Amino acid sequence: MEVDGRDRRPDALGDLYVLSDEIVCSILTLLSPRDVARLACASSVMYILCNEEPLWMNLCLDKENLQLQYKGSWKKTTLHGLQVLSKCDDPCKKPLHFDGFNSLFLYKRLYRCYTQLDGFAFDHGNVERKTGLSLEEFLQHYDAHKPVLVSGLADTWPARKAWTPEQLLVKYGDTSFRISQRSAKKVSMKFKDYVSYMQVQHDEDPLYIFDDKFGEVAPDLLEDYSVPHLFPDDYFDVLDNDQRPPYRWLIIGPERSGASWHVDPALTSAWNTLLSGRKRWALYPPGRVPLGVTVHVNDEDGDVDIETPSSLQWWLDFYPLLADEDKPIECTQLPGETIYVPTGWWHCVLNLETTIAVTQNYVNSKNFEFVCLDLAPGYQHKGVCRAGLLALSEGTLDEENLCMNDNLSCSELTRKEERVKIDEHMEDSNCEITTNGGSESLVKSDIEFSYDINFLTMFLDKDRDHYNSLWSTSNCIGQRELRDWLWKLWIGKPGLRDLIWKGACIALNASKWSKCMEELCAFHNISLPADEEKFPVGTGSNPVYLVADNVVKIFVEDGLEASLHALGTELQFYSLMQRSDCTLKNHVPNILASGIVFLEEGSYKVVTWDGKGVPDVIAKHSLVETFADTEYPFGIWSKKQFEYKKAGMSLEELVGCGGGTSIWPYIVTKRCKGKIFADLRDALSREEVSNLASFLGKQLHELHVLPVPPLNDLSYLHMNTKLENGIMENIYDKINLPAASEVIFRILNRKKKDVSSRLAKWGHPIPSRLIEKVDEYLPNDFVELHSLLKNCWCWVHTDIMDDNIHLEHVASSSSSSSSSSSSSWVPSYIYDFSNMSLGDPIMDLIPIHLDIFRGDLQLMKQLMESYGVPFGKRSSDENGKRRRISYLTMCYCIIHEDNILGAIFGTWKELRVANSWEDVEEAVWGHLNNYF
């Protein structure tokens, strides 16, 4: 090879020469492995960049649900996964070498890959070390205050001796554990393969077993340790394991691996016990952003994202830049020691050798309000919790507002995303700082940052409603799960109700709904809620209260207009049902009262409303569209028009029109004896559940044959002017559809608009490769399926789930000679008709099959037999995918406004590796083809 001193980079990279090596390497990670291999042939410098092991590591780990087996190098591993290794004996024969190219970026990365950490310990750390620490001393001096290292807590654990790589390999060699790495994709490895990887790898940020499901794949490991006595409480324990957020992890990693800078999820506290090896820890108190770390908080949903170098990179590149007074609190954790990390503390961990540890996060009385704060809607408070006063823009930090105005709003913060970055030096909260990536600077006032709940709650956005705000994907628990958690705490831990109420006021604004309830109770002469009735129940989308013999529901979900249509349609349906001969009315709770509660001049007022006409308080609301000429101006056809309008909105637009109201419809119904199915599921016999399926079949039939109100001409004409600007496609004219069918088809078509982007936002567990194929799976126009849907429109509940089915405990006499008696749970009521709509009766089967039956085909068969086949009128004159009922049902699931697909891929986990939507359709809904 010819050697000269010229710089190869300009000629070898062409126009890409202006980009740094770091940017070029980042771009390469976006390509496919085959494209990277082709690009390596383009030039000498591209050959070097395209054969980097960190690049091939990223390419390899970018595969979904990967069961990994390391083949000695990441390039070989990737090629093996693509099944191309057999095409050549050695894909990485003799590497080429070139002169005239130097890269500090690549050199640093290579250095990190081979760095030895033998002398990297910080043995004289400044984290306090304690032996024999009592619970009282821990609660007084450390809990939620500062970290501490405690010895002796694991001395009696079997794990203290059994958790070594050698012993775990013998027992769990073929067990697959989850791997933590920077890709969002799920990766797992058999333990024997992971041990082999650890022995030969030279990665700058090695793979790390960080498995929150280890208790499921290796339950014996749970018997090898116990929660130390210093951490007796965990308020998440009122939830079942499949409901609560991840909280315990098995952690195994080789030298150089570790956890980069982060604050634990939901501001929980944590303990971490080391069983083998040594770990180096660095910690900063809340609000002190480490050098080199960037905090992003999205102002739409409060999603928190942290950009940080790897643990090893931070210690090598950033730690040496710190002055002594700016260095973190540090220690080296030794085998048998337990470290406590308080709520909100930044921490970073580096494994100095192969380590094995177990850790758990928890909620107790000291951090409960912080957890509720982190789960509250909005974004400014989340930035302040992690980045202190650095998260505030100019004009927000006003001493008078902070001290006196509890309605502080983040509306002043107009940037799409708040960014906080400290690149050059650690700075005190009272000195000049840089925000928004350095684009503006300001001098903070004399106000001190305080990690005090009263101080932090000043940054809550009081205008954001919990029920209608976008929910952050970074939250450890969903909106419904949060409500269920607080409700179960309220019932299960009555001694903590003062604390729980404070947390609920932060997370749910519970005090506002409590004041509404007091006014409603006074207006309708209902006794004020008892202590246990003070809290909204369950997981519903609206505040619901059980008070004496009454159920009070305040309509909040999706804003005022949606709430009016929900109640208006429910009242219209109830009126029609009462005038009919159907027996369904015997299984729907009686309506005792309904109306509007609103806030006017600082006090709550109530007016009654039976769904007919437009109340004055609504007529004055300029943003609500009404049809006063109809008997039910917010009835079913007005609701269908509203559905059409909503179907064309983005998620952000829906949330935007759903908040900011001080007017709420409400309904009062009779409280039923017994329990909901959700609370009884595990206690019911197979016969009782089978009886429930038969009950649902009969009641669905009654619902679906109930007469439908005719389409109001004025409503339709008004709606039709908005349908695609009044342009009627030839296919609609050709089929000569009835007006009602045309309305529903157009709504279905609008719901599938931009469906792929909506599914991508929902993300896991919906496979990304299926999201890419969704548009070709759905029909171009739902009217293509008109032969399946001809004359099928009827009333549909759309929300028959396990918390909307009520059962009563009844005694039954035995026919045996002993004359003994038995009792059973008998289905009695169906709840919550606020989601009533007009549509295909199949829509009611979706929540029943997924949520109540959980895919049990025998129960579905029982329902169908009780309903009476055929299930709706269908045409069967054509075959093929476009004419299968299973195909139609799958389409409904895909375009559904709720994340039905998340439930499908959560229940049928094996479908996460499905290659096509047809495979998913057949597995979940193929059985429906037998009934039509």
Side-chain angles (χ1 to χ4, degrees):
M1 182 182 301
E2 183 179 349
V3 178
D4 58 43
R6 65 185 176 89
D7 183 3
R8 289 179 176 270
R9 201 173 186 279
D11 293 338
L13 293 182
D15 291 342
L16 296 179
Y17 170 72
V18 297
L19 302 179
S20 67
D21 293 339
E22 182 175 3
I23 293 177
V24 173
C25 288
S26 296
I27 293 173
L28 293 177
T29 63
L30 303 177
L31 304 180
S32 70
R34 295 180 186 276
D35 288 338
V36 170
R38 294 185 185 102
L39 194 57
C41 302
S43 69
S44 56
V45 174
M46 274 301 180
Y47 173 85
I48 295 171
L49 298 177
C50 290
N51 279 283
E52 266 240 300
E53 272 292 275
L55 166 63
W56 285 96
M57 182 180 187
N58 284 328
L59 296 175
C60 183
L61 298 179
D62 196 42
K63 186 176 179 182
E64 281 187 290
N65 301 307
L66 178 64
Q67 180 68 41
L68 186 64
Q69 190 175 36
Y70 188 65
K71 297 296 182 180
S73 77
W74 285 109
K75 186 173 183 180
K76 288 182 179 180
T77 305
T78 307
L79 296 178
H80 181 270
L82 295 173
Q83 298 180 336
V84 298
L85 269 179
S86 58
K87 297 182 180 179
C88 52
D89 294 330
D90 187 357
C92 310
K93 290 183 179 178
K94 185 177 180 181
L96 301 177
H97 298 279
F98 302 95
D99 66 315
F101 175 71
N102 296 291
S103 172
L104 181 60
F105 170 73
L106 297 185
Y107 172 76
K108 284 185 174 181
R109 197 145 76 169
L110 182 66
Y111 175 79
R112 291 193 293 269
C113 289
Y114 287 89
T115 295
Q116 300 293 314
L117 304 182
D118 295 342
F120 218 69
F122 197 82
D123 295 328
H124 301 290
N126 46 14
V127 176
E128 291 185 50
R129 273 187 155 90
K130 292 288 183 177
T131 301
L133 186 64
S134 69
L135 177 59
E136 292 72 22
E137 185 181 358
F138 172 75
L139 296 177
Q140 182 178 357
H141 297 290
Y142 302 101
D143 194 12
H145 295 303
K146 58 182 178 180
V148 62
L149 265 173
V150 186
S151 299
L153 298 181
D155 286 352
T156 60
W157 292 3
R160 187 68 183 86
K161 296 180 179 179
W163 287 22
T164 65
E166 296 76 19
Q167 293 191 62
L168 292 179
L169 182 60
V170 172
K171 192 170 183 180
Y172 301 104
D174 289 318
T175 302
S176 293
F177 293 102
R178 294 186 177 186
I179 301 297
S180 172
Q181 38 80 38
R182 297 201 169 210
S183 169
K185 306 294 171 52
K186 302 297 181 182
V187 177
S188 61
M189 291 182 77
K190 289 184 177 180
F191 189 67
K192 63 182 180 183
D193 294 330
Y194 182 72
V195 171
S196 298
Y197 161 78
M198 287 197 299
Q199 293 170 346
V200 300
Q201 61 82 28
H202 280 287
D203 295 327
E204 62 166 334
D205 191 11
L207 297 183
Y208 199 18
I209 286 182
F210 203 80
D211 193 342
D212 63 303
K213 301 293 185 182
F214 74 95
E216 297 176 12
V217 298
D220 290 350
L221 292 175
L222 297 178
E223 300 177 4
D224 289 343
Y225 79 96
S226 58
V227 177
H229 74 281
L230 299 181
F231 320 106
D233 296 326
D234 184 1
Y235 292 172
F236 274 134
D237 63 8
V238 298
L239 298 175
D240 295 334
N241 275 334
D242 60 344
Q243 295 176 313
R244 66 177 301 170
Y247 70 103
R248 62 187 177 201
W249 289 266
L250 172 68
I251 308 175
I252 304 176
E255 182 182 25
R256 296 187 309 280
S257 63
S260 55
W261 282 107
H262 66 284
V263 174
D264 278 347
L267 303 182
T268 52
S269 301
W271 58 266
N272 179 302
T273 299
L274 184 62
L275 285 313
S276 177
R278 294 176 302 149
K279 290 177 180 285
R280 184 171 178 177
W281 288 75
L283 306 99
Y284 280 112
R288 188 84 181 269
V289 184
L291 177 65
V293 174
T294 306
V295 180
H296 301 261
V297 185
N298 189 283
D299 67 357
E300 290 178 346
D301 61 6
D303 182 62
V304 178
D305 181 56
I306 296 173
E307 289 184 19
T308 173
S310 69
S311 177
L312 176 61
Q313 184 180 1
W314 186 85
W315 252 290
L316 290 174
D317 295 350
F318 292 91
Y319 182 84
L321 303 178
L322 298 174
D324 288 343
E325 62 270 19
D326 292 329
K327 287 183 177 177
I329 299 172
E330 297 181 74
C331 68
T332 295
Q333 184 185 19
L334 304 177
E337 291 184 326
T338 299
I339 189 170
Y340 164 71
V341 181
T343 177
W345 276 66
W346 286 90
H347 51 288
C348 175
V349 188
L350 179 64
N351 291 316
L352 305 182
E353 55 202 42
T354 298
T355 62
I356 300 176
V358 63
T359 185
Q360 290 195 184
N361 286 69
Y362 66 93
V363 184
N364 67 359
S365 60
K366 294 292 185 69
N367 64 14
F368 174 72
E369 291 176 86
F370 291 94
V371 173
C372 291
L373 176 66
D374 195 65
L375 296 173
Y379 73 102
Q380 184 175 238
H381 63 281
K382 292 195 175 187
V384 173
C385 283
R386 287 162 178 80
L389 301 183
L390 296 174
L392 303 179
S393 63
E394 188 171 11
T396 305
L397 187 63
D398 180 82
E399 184 169 4
E400 183 177 355
N401 281 343
L402 286 177
C403 295
M404 301 178 62
N405 185 4
D406 62 356
N407 292 317
L408 184 67
S409 170
C410 64
S411 58
E412 306 165 35
L413 304 182
T414 58
R415 292 188 300 275
K416 184 77 168 178
E417 207 173 43
E418 288 297 299
R419 295 181 176 87
V420 179
K421 188 171 184 178
I422 308 176
D423 283 331
E424 297 180 356
H425 58 280
M426 296 297 298
E427 297 174 278
D428 185 82
S429 62
N430 295 323
C431 65
E432 186 178 76
I433 65 168
T434 302
T435 66
N436 197 25
S439 63
E440 55 181 329
S441 64
L442 62 152
V443 178
K444 292 299 183 188
S445 71
D446 293 332
I447 296 176
E448 295 281 352
F449 171 71
S450 172
Y451 210 70
D452 173 81
I453 193 64
N454 295 321
F455 178 82
L456 295 175
T457 52
M458 293 179 182
F459 299 97
L460 278 170
D461 185 350
K462 300 297 184 181
D463 291 333
R464 298 228 185 182
D465 175 58
H466 162 83
Y467 289 91
N468 289 314
S469 295
L470 279 174
W471 197 247
S472 168
T473 56
S474 64
N475 285 348
C476 70
I477 194 171
Q479 278 170 300
R480 288 177 178 268
E481 290 78 11
L482 171 63
R483 297 194 283 270
D484 188 39
W485 174 51
L486 294 175
W487 159 249
K488 287 180 176 177
L489 280 176
W490 186 262
I491 298 301
K493 297 182 183 292
L496 296 172
R497 282 182 180 165
D498 287 344
L499 176 65
I500 297 168
W501 185 252
K502 291 178 182 178
C505 288
I506 293 172
L508 307 179
N509 205 350
S511 59
K512 176 174 75 173
W513 307 118
S514 180
K515 292 174 183 176
C516 280
M517 271 299 301
E518 291 175 5
E519 188 64 35
L520 289 173
C521 289
F523 185 85
H524 290 289
N525 295 317
I526 299 173
S527 60
L528 289 176
D531 190 41
E532 69 177 19
E533 299 171 335
K534 184 180 177 181
F535 206 87
V537 302
T539 65
S541 302
N542 300 281
V544 176
Y545 294 84
L546 305 179
V547 184
D549 293 329
N550 307 282
V551 179
V552 182
K553 176 179 178 180
I554 303 172
F555 290 80
V556 175
E557 186 181 21
D558 294 336
L560 177 58
E561 193 169 2
S563 297
L564 288 168
H565 282 105
L567 179 56
T569 300
E570 182 170 0
L571 294 173
Q572 181 186 30
F573 167 77
Y574 187 83
S575 176
L576 287 169
M577 181 180 60
Q578 290 300 317
R579 297 197 300 266
S580 73
D581 295 329
C582 75
T583 59
L584 175 63
K585 59 188 176 186
N586 300 324
H587 300 287
V588 177
N590 291 331
I591 295 178
L592 305 178
S594 59
I596 311 289
V597 58
F598 56 99
L599 187 62
E600 185 175 83
E601 297 179 353
S603 61
Y604 288 94
K605 298 182 180 180
V606 180
V607 294
T608 59
W609 183 52
D610 62 359
K612 300 177 180 180
V614 181
D616 289 342
V617 67
I618 302 302
K620 293 185 294 186
H621 202 289
S622 60
L623 299 180
V624 177
E625 192 171 20
T626 63
F627 294 96
D629 58 307
T630 62
E631 183 181 17
Y632 286 90
F634 295 98
I636 186 59
W637 285 111
S638 177
K639 186 175 186 178
K640 296 307 290 184
Q641 177 175 323
F642 182 65
E643 282 183 25
Y644 179 82
K645 182 171 69 173
K646 282 201 312 177
M649 293 182 180
S650 67
L651 192 57
E652 292 76 14
E653 289 173 326
L654 286 171
V655 172
C657 70
T661 182
S662 57
I663 305 172
W664 306 280
Y666 72 88
I667 189 171
V668 183
T669 57
K670 181 71 174 177
R671 185 174 180 178
C672 306
K673 297 179 180 180
K675 293 184 177 182
I676 59 174
F677 178 63
D679 294 338
L680 293 170
R681 178 189 294 274
D682 296 334
L684 296 180
S685 67
R686 183 68 184 183
E687 181 181 2
E688 289 169 320
V689 178
S690 181
N691 290 338
L692 171 61
S694 297
F695 169 82
L696 292 175
K698 293 176 183 177
Q699 303 315 315
L700 278 185
H701 185 270
E702 293 284 309
L703 171 64
H704 295 162
V705 299
L706 193 69
V708 175
L711 175 61
N712 178 274
D713 291 339
L714 290 177
S715 297
Y716 172 65
L717 289 174
H718 180 81
M719 186 178 184
N720 196 37
T721 61
K722 296 186 176 183
L723 297 178
E724 311 301 334
N725 298 319
I727 298 174
M728 311 295 286
E729 288 87 348
N730 292 333
I731 188 171
Y732 287 85
D733 294 333
K734 182 178 179 181
I735 299 174
N736 192 25
L737 287 174
S741 294
E742 185 177 316
V743 168
I744 293 175
F745 276 124
R746 290 186 181 276
I747 292 173
L748 292 174
N749 285 331
R750 202 164 189 184
K751 283 185 175 182
K752 77 181 184 71
K753 184 179 179 180
D754 297 327
V755 66
S756 58
S757 61
R758 178 161 49 86
L759 299 187
K761 286 184 179 179
W762 278 334
H764 181 78
I766 307 173
S768 59
R769 65 180 166 280
L770 293 187
I771 295 176
E772 295 170 358
K773 301 176 180 179
V774 70
D775 289 323
E776 66 183 65
Y777 178 78
L778 292 171
N780 293 325
D781 192 314
F782 268 88
V783 77
E784 296 173 10
L785 307 179
H786 75 281
S787 62
L788 281 178
L789 299 171
K790 189 176 294 182
N791 301 319
C792 275
W793 314 121
C794 63
W795 286 102
V796 286
H797 186 287
T798 76
D799 194 28
I800 302 179
M801 302 177 72
D802 62 4
D803 56 350
N804 286 331
I805 301 297
H806 200 82
L807 296 92
E808 293 182 6
H809 203 218
V810 299
S812 58
S813 299
S814 173
S815 59
S816 64
S817 58
S818 63
S819 298
S820 62
S821 63
S822 61
S823 60
S824 61
W825 287 97
V826 177
S828 54
Y829 290 97
I830 298 176
Y831 288 156
D832 194 0
F833 285 78
S834 60
N835 283 336
M836 289 297 296
S837 184
L838 294 181
D840 187 337
I842 285 179
M843 293 176 178
D844 276 331
L845 295 184
I846 293 174
I848 290 176
H849 185 55
L850 297 181
D851 188 70
I852 296 179
F853 295 167
R854 294 187 177 176
D856 190 316
L857 298 183
Q858 186 60 41
L859 293 176
M860 180 59 74
K861 180 181 179 181
Q862 188 73 30
L863 179 146
M864 288 297 195
E865 291 176 353
S866 177
Y867 184 97
V869 178
F871 193 89
K873 300 176 182 179
R874 311 284 171 172
S875 173
S876 57
D877 57 339
E878 296 184 60
N879 295 315
K881 153 178 127 170
R882 303 293 179 182
R883 297 297 177 260
R884 291 197 303 267
I885 292 296
S886 59
Y887 170 72
L888 177 61
T889 310
M890 192 70 236
C891 289
Y892 288 150
C893 294
I894 292 173
I895 67 171
H896 203 286
E897 59 188 15
D898 294 324
N899 191 3
I900 298 296
L901 296 180
I904 287 177
F905 291 106
T907 303
W908 286 269
K909 294 182 174 61
E910 67 277 8
L911 293 178
R912 298 178 190 179
V913 296
N915 293 316
S916 68
W917 285 108
E918 285 80 5
D919 292 342
V920 180
E921 170 199 331
E922 178 60 29
V924 181
W925 303 113
H927 60 93
L928 289 182
N929 297 319
N930 299 326
Y931 302 108
F932 297 91

